[in-house]
Amino acid sequence: MSGTGRFEAHEEPGGHDDHDGRDGFGEAGRREEHEGFEAASGRGEREHTGDGAGSGSGDVPHGPGGPGGPDPARPPRIPMPRASVEDSGRPLPDLADLGDLLPVPLDLSHDVLKSLLGAWALAACSAAETAAVEVHLGDCGSCADEARRLREAVGLLHQPESLDLDPALRTRVLETCLDRRPPRIPLPEWAAPYDAETARLDALLQDFGDAEWHAPVRLRWFEADGATSRRTTVAGVIAHLLSVDGLIAAAIGLEDPLAGVPAPARGRTGPAGRTEAFWQASHFPPTRSVRAPWREQSHGLVRTVAFTGSHAGGLAVSYGDFELPLHDAMLDRAFECWVHAEDIAEAVDYPYEPPAPRHLNKMIDLAARMLPVALAERRRAGLSTPGPTAHLVPAGTPGRTLRLEIEGAAGGEWLIPLDSPAAVGSADREVAHVALDGVEFCKLAAGHLSPEEAAAGQDGDRQAIKDVLYAAAGLSRM
């Protein structure tokens, strides 16, 4: 900077400026840095003279490194390394001189230190108490063992727990409330599984974002002894449940969700036909908006059957090709709600538990009661091999029987007549015995498990066992 206060560019001899593509300020600058390093490390000191200013605007200030060196009044461009006190040769400070700065160790008795072990294990001691306890633990074996046990006990108090609520919590709360105060309008026992499963699915959907609602889901079922599937989304599954639950809604006088669907498409009355009609009538693929009408419809069904009472359980609900009484139709819808809730949970990688055992037992019972009709349909379709005796027996008489044993908390035993839906299962006419886990049997009946993959304990007529397992898979539908 010149005397007039302006910055001036300065060129080194030879036509090179300060920034010649190398770090530093040229040869003079490197000499200055080297000498500065030596001075800082104690290997020599030099006396420097000069005022650091030239005689004119073209003069180059002189520094410790000679012409072209930096101004000593300026800080060095590269900081010099720190020198250690041990390298300077100076004596180290005596710890006795630091006595006022060091913590005074506590002189505590054995009993006092032992009483502090609990607080020490919880990290609730002061620094001085902690130091005293830890010094004592190195000398006292009994206290060291006690301290170890206390630390392990503290670890048990902080077990990691899932933030998800227990799926059975709602049922337990409701049971406790109902035991204390019976409802003014009780819910029929056969409608309780549907109420529970729709509530569980609604809780699963509560925090779904757009990504979860559009997650791909594959609906699976068995048809003509072969596995088949249909690809949709989470929102499409809820639309499917809304469409099929509408069969019960229409039967008990509620609004049919397909009421606004064009007449040609509305003529498809079966569960699969209604679902396809609903999907096709939608201008856009179903989104999260389908949750509200499905939830309102499920609440309406539960509320209506509660007002109607248990005597309405025999009301016929048409599924197109067959009919079910209302109490069985509600169980059927509870079963499908659980199955598709598991499909949704699998699509979003979320755990989902089976229904409560008492509800699962009712679903298994419905499937077992439907097996004789499914066996008869297999015979009419030519999918079943005739047995050694005639298939048709007089109504109400014993026929060949398979004992279906379901294991687990929801289990039991069912005698399945093999010759005719009107026949009576009889232990005296038992020709085969099959044992299955309850959840596994439900997955078989839902078409999520093939008969060959079912881990069934089998004894007796192999053909009868095969027919029953395939008939159970044939109960599934979209």
Side-chain angles (χ1 to χ4, degrees), residues 303-330:
R303 186 167 52 246
T304 302
V305 298
F307 276 104
T308 304
S310 58
H311 64 274
L315 178 67
V317 178
S318 175
Y319 278 71
D321 298 336
F322 62 96
E323 289 185 350
L324 287 176
L326 179 59
H327 58 81
D328 283 347
M330 293 291 285

Side-chain angles (χ1 to χ4, degrees), residues 28-298:
R30 286 193 296 276
R31 287 199 306 271
E32 186 274 331
E33 292 173 4
H34 178 68
E35 294 172 3
F37 178 80
E38 290 182 349
S41 60
R43 284 180 297 200
E45 298 180 356
R46 298 183 181 179
E47 296 179 1
H48 304 288
T49 59
D51 56 3
S55 58
S57 61
D59 295 337
V60 179
H62 294 272
D71 188 347
R74 288 178 165 183
R77 179 173 177 266
I78 301 177
M80 296 298 106
R82 290 186 177 183
S84 172
V85 67
E86 296 179 354
D87 296 335
S88 64
R90 298 176 183 176
L92 297 177
D94 190 356
L95 294 179
D97 300 335
L98 303 177
D100 296 337
L101 303 178
L102 297 178
V104 178
L106 297 178
D107 186 12
L108 303 176
S109 66
H110 176 272
D111 293 339
V112 173
L113 291 170
K114 185 176 181 180
S115 67
L116 290 174
L117 291 179
W120 171 84
L122 293 169
C125 290
S126 66
E129 290 172 339
T130 299
V133 169
E134 292 178 351
V135 169
H136 178 67
L137 295 180
D139 300 330
C140 181
S142 61
C143 287
D145 292 338
E146 180 67 16
R148 177 180 56 80
R149 288 192 293 269
L150 290 173
R151 272 289 170 89
E152 292 175 353
V154 169
L156 296 175
L157 298 177
H158 301 282
Q159 286 292 322
E161 297 181 359
S162 173
L163 298 180
D164 297 327
L165 295 178
D166 183 357
L169 177 62
R170 180 179 184 275
T171 303
R172 293 201 303 269
V173 172
L174 288 176
E175 284 182 346
T176 302
C177 295
L178 296 178
D179 288 342
R180 292 176 178 269
R181 185 176 182 179
R184 185 173 302 173
I185 303 175
L187 183 66
E189 188 177 356
W190 44 263
Y194 178 81
D195 182 31
E197 292 311 309
T198 52
R200 290 207 304 150
L201 176 55
D202 187 52
L204 173 65
L205 301 174
Q206 183 174 358
D207 297 325
F208 275 18
D210 291 339
E212 287 83 6
W213 278 104
H214 296 290
V217 180
R218 186 169 293 279
L219 303 179
R220 296 168 288 167
W221 69 96
F222 259 68
E223 190 172 320
D225 285 358
T228 185
S229 63
R230 178 72 156 78
R231 185 181 177 88
T232 183
T233 63
V234 169
V237 174
I238 302 303
H240 166 59
L241 292 175
L242 173 68
S243 303
V244 184
D245 286 358
L247 292 169
I248 299 180
I252 62 177
L254 298 180
E255 183 181 358
D256 187 350
L258 266 66
V261 175
R266 204 188 322 137
R268 307 166 70 179
T269 56
R274 288 175 60 88
T275 300
E276 294 289 351
F278 189 90
W279 285 344
Q280 293 173 11
S282 302
H283 297 290
F284 301 98
T287 61
R288 66 167 68 238
S289 62
V290 77
R291 178 192 174 203
W294 168 78
R295 182 182 183 185
E296 182 59 31
Q297 178 178 260
S298 65

Side-chain angles (χ1 to χ4, degrees), residues 366-390:
L366 173 62
R369 288 189 283 111
M370 296 176 68
L371 279 176
V373 176
L375 287 168
E377 291 178 353
R378 283 181 54 82
R379 284 193 294 269
R380 285 195 295 267
L383 300 175
S384 177
T385 303
T389 60

